[in-house]
Amino acid sequence: MLRKKKLFFSVIALLILSLLFLTACGDTDDNGNDEDQAANGDADQDNDEPSEDARTEVVWGAVQDPDTLDPRLSTSAYSEEVSELIFNSLIYPDENLEMVFDLATDMETPDDNTYIFTLREDVYWHDGEKFTSEDVVFTFESILDEDFGSPHLSRTNFDAVEAIDEYTVQFTTEEPNAAAWTSMRRFIVPAHLAPRDGYEPDEGNFAFNPVGTGPFKLTEWTPNDQIVLERNEDYFEGPVQLERIIRREIPEEETRYTELLNGNIDIAATPEREMDTVEANDDLTLMISGTLNYFPIAINHGIDDSPLNDVRVRQALNYGIDKEAIVSHLWPTAEVMHNPIVPGTWAYDDDATYKYAFDQDKAMDLLDDAGYGDGLEVTITMSNAATNVELGEMLKSYYDQIGVTLEVNTMEFSSALDLILDGDFELYHMGSVGMYDPHDFMSRFINGDGVTSYDNPEFNQLVEDAVKIIDDQDARAELYSEAQQIMTEDAYNVPMYNSQAWMAWNSDFNFNYDYVIRSRAFKDAYWSN
Amino acid sequence: MHIYIIKRLLQAIPVILLVTVITFSLIHLMPGDPAIMRAGEDATLEQVEQIREAMGLNEPIPAQYLNWMSGLVRGDLGESLQDGRPVFTTLMQRLPATLYLVLASFVVSLAIGIPVGILSAVRQNTFIDTFARGFALLGISMPSFWFGLMLVLLFSYRLQWLPASGAGSFQQLIMPALALGMASAGLITRMTRSSMLEVLKQDYIRTARSKGLRAQIVIYKHALKNAMLPVVTVIGLQLGYRLGGSVIVEQIFAYPGIGRFAYTRLLARDFPMIMGNLFIFAMIFIIVNILTDIVYGFLEPRIRYD
C-alpha cells in the first residue's frame, strides 16, 4: 500500500516537472499568417531616405571570431568578412564576378604577362599616413615569401610585383595566366605597420590591431565576444552612413536566432530549417544568395592497386546514390551539382556535363564488370558535423544496396583535414569555397597535384591551355567544356552540391546580401528609422 | 597550519609538472595542427610544410616542450600561434567572466541544493521528499546544453524576459548560471539529504531533542553543521567540473568566458593558448583542493594538519 502511494507521488512529481518544460516547448500560434511575403530582394526599393533620427549603429550576430585580422595570414571567411570593412584591395569581384576597381583606378595589360595598375592618390591609412605603391608591393612580397607562411601563396597566380612609381604597380607572370587577377584581389596592408615576418611575436600585434584604408576602423576586439568598428571619417569615397558596427560572436544558431527575433541583434544568418518562418516574418528581411562553394565526395586517385582506380567503380559510386534525395534532405537550400564549376557561371556547360542518375542496377553491373560483384569495402573520412554524421548514415545504406560496404570515419575538423591533406583517405567529404575563376577549381585536379591526386593527361592539357588564353573568354569556355565532359565521364569524384548562403535582418535596415559582396554591403547600408 | 599550506603547495609542483607533460604530449599527439588550419581545406602539402616551418612546429616535440617550460619558469606562457597575442594576458582578460559565472552557478546550486536537501531529509518519505528526489535526479540527468537551450526557448524566445547571449548585466548572468548550476544543485540536494539523514540518526541529535530543544535549532545548529562535511568535498570537486561545464554553457549563451575560448582554440589547434589554458585550469583545481582541505578544519576541529 505504502509502495503504491510512493509510486503515485513520484509520478505526480515527475509530471509536474515535465510540465514545466513542455510549456517551454509547446507551440504558440505561428505568426505565419501566410501573407506570402517574398524574400525581399528589393530591400532598397522602398527606401525612403534615412530620417534625421534614424539609428546609425548596427549589431551583427556572427558565427565565429576571425582567426586573425592580418588578411595576409587568413583564408577564413570569418576573417574576410571583417577585413572587408577595414581594408581595401586593388580590385575585387562584384556579384557578377566581374572585376571592380577599389584602390586602383585603372589596369593596363601591355602584353599577356604584365598587369600595370594605376593607384588612387587620395587614400590615407587610418593612422593618417598616405597610401602608396610601396604598401602594395610590401603586401604581395610578403605573401610571395615562403618564410612568411601565407596561406595565399599556393593560390597566387603571378610571380613578381614591383613599383614603377609612387602610384603605379606592375605584376608579372612567367606564363600567361587568365586567373592571375583572382590573386590580385588580396587586401593591402600598410608597409609602415604590418610585420614583415608573420610569426615574430613582438610584431604580431598587427593581427589584432589592424590598420587599413577601409570605410571602418577597428576600435575594439574582445576575442570570442565582440568586435567594434567605427566609421572612418576620412574614407576616400566619403564617410559611409553607418557610424558603428558591433559584431557579436554568437556561435549557437538557436541563440543567435532568438536574439534576432528579440531585436538584441539586427542582422544574422538564421537556422536553415527556420527559413519559412523567417520569410513569413514581417519584421525581418531575408535574402538568399548563391555561393561559389562546392561540396563533393572526393575520391583518392593516388592509392596503388586501389579499386578506386577503376573508372567503373567510380561510376558505380556515382550511380549508386540518390543525390537529389540526400541533398534535399540534408541541405534543403542547396542544389545538386554535377561538376565543380558552379552552374550559372560563364564556364559551366550543362550539355558537356555527364550527370549520373540514380540507377543502382547499373551501379551493380559496373561493379560486376570490374570484378567486385561480391562486394567492396570503402572508407569515407569527414568532419563530425551533425549533417556529416547523417550523410554517412544515408551513404552507407545506399551503398549497402549495391554491395559496397562503406566505413564512415568522422572526426573533429582539424583531424579530418590533417588526414585529407596527407592523402590518407579513400573518400572524403569537405567543401571547397570561394572559387572565383574556373581555373581555381579545375587546377585542383591536374597533374596529380591536388589533394585527390587526379591525373588525366588529356584533362591536364585542356586546363593548362585554357588558363593561358587571356583575352578570349569564349575560347577558354570551349576548352573548359571539353574538360568538364572528360572529368565527369571519368567519374573523377562524386559531386554533391553547391550551397546557398543567406542573411536576415531587421526590415528597417536597408541592406543587400550577396555572397560575393558580403560585408562590403555595409558601406551602403543605413536605417530607415 | 602555515606549514601545512606550504607543504601542500610544494606537493603541487610535481603534480603540475606531470600535468604539463601529459597535456603537452596529448596536444601534439592529436592529429591536426595550426598550420593545417591556417592553410585551409584545399592547400597543398608543401604549403602546409612552409607554414609549419614558419610557425616553428617542425622542431622535435621534446625541444618544443623544453622551450615552453623555460618560458613558464620565467613566467611567460608564450604567444598565440593564431594571432600572436600573449597567452597570459589574453587568458586573464577572459578568466574573470568565467569565475563570475562559476560563482553565480554555485549560488544557484547551494541556494537550491541545501534547503531542498534539508527539507527532503526532515520530511523523509513524504510528498516533498519524493518531489525533491525527483528534482535532484532530473537536475543531475539533464545535460546542460539541453537545459540551456530550453531556458533560451522559454525565457528569451517565448517570454522575452531575458537576453539570450552576452555578458555584463545581471540579466545576462541568470540563464547561464542556472544552466551551469542545475546539475550540482541536484547533486548537492542528494548529498545534503543523505548526509542529514545519517546525522539525524546520531545519538547526540536524540539527546538534543530529548533536552527539549526546538526542532529548528536541532536541525540547523546541531545536525546541519555536521552534515556539511561531505557536501563541502563535493563542492570542491564540483569546481573542476564547472570549469569543464562552462565550455558548453558559454557556447550556448555566447558568454565571453575562458571555457568557450579554450574550446575554439582547441579546434584551431592554437597550441600555446591551449597549454596556457590547461595550465591555469590545473592551477585553479589544485588551489581549490587545498582550500577545501582548509575548510574541513573549520567544520571538523578534530582534523589535524600535521
Side-chain angles (χ1 to χ4, degrees), chain A residues 5-39:
Chain A
K5 205 172 159 192
K6 242 174 115 180
L7 184 74
F8 172 75
F9 279 125
S10 312
V11 170
I12 295 280
L14 265 175
L15 273 178
I16 292 174
L17 279 168
S18 46
L19 256 179
L20 268 172
F21 291 103
L22 281 179
T23 46
C25 316
D27 227 25
T28 62
D29 59 327
D30 267 11
N31 13 354
N33 32 6
D34 274 357
E35 270 175 299
D36 198 24
Q37 205 216 0

Side-chain angles (χ1 to χ4, degrees), chain A residues 103 105 118-124 130-131 165-167:
Chain A
L103 289 173
T105 54
T118 312
L119 307 181
R120 293 183 73 118
E121 298 184 18
D122 55 351
V123 179
Y124 291 87
K130 202 150 199 274
F131 158 80
D165 62 44
E166 228 185 329
Y167 296 104

Side-chain angles (χ1 to χ4, degrees), chain A residues 199 223-224 248-249 418, chain B residues 32 38 94 165 252 260 269:
Chain A
Y199 299 99
N224 293 114
R248 288 187 47 201
E249 188 201 36
D418 197 354
Chain B
R38 167 153 299 168
R94 313 186 57 92
S165 67
I252 292 170
R260 181 154 67 95
R269 298 287 190 271

